[in-house]
Structure formats: C-alpha cells, structure tokens
C-alpha cells in the first residue's frame, strides 16, 4: 500500500501520484483501496500545489 501524506512527512508531487494511479488503472482489475487512497492523496497534492502556485515571491 502506498504511503499516505501523513506517513510521508512531506507531500509527494501530484505527477508522481498520478503515475501510480495510471499504473493501477492499466493493470486492470477491480478498484482497490490503494486506488482510493491514491485519489485522496492526489487531490490533496493538487490542492497544495495550487496553493503554493498562488503565493507569489516575497517582496
């Protein structure tokens, strides 16, 4: 099972999580708990990246 954001200490980039999701989807089979957890982690990463992008450089 992939680590959750709380387990990692720092969030992984959304692109890294997206690659894991793609791997699970390409492997086929039923939707797993790992897939659901990756979706939650990906959504948090996207929100975090959007927040960081909204913050401009210090004046």
């Amino acid at each position: 099972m992939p680590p959750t954001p709380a387990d990692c200490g720092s969030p992984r980039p959304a692109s890294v999580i997206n690659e894991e999701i793609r791997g699970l989807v390409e492997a086929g089979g039923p939707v797993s708990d790992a897939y659901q957890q990756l979706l939650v982690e990906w959504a948090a990463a996207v929100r975090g990246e959007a927040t960081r992008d909204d913050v401009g450089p210090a004046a």
Side-chain angles (χ1 to χ4, degrees):
M1 177 181 329
T4 62
D7 296 337
C8 294
S10 63
R12 298 187 297 161
S15 60
V16 171
I17 302 164
N18 192 34
E19 287 301 315
E20 287 188 39
I21 292 170
R22 287 178 188 268
L24 287 174
V25 169
E26 289 173 1
V31 174
S32 64
D33 288 340
Y35 175 80
Q36 294 293 332
Q37 289 176 341
L38 283 169
L39 286 179
V40 170
E41 184 181 357
W42 176 82
V46 168
R47 282 192 303 273
E49 289 172 7
T51 300
R52 284 190 298 275
D53 291 343
D54 290 343
V55 176

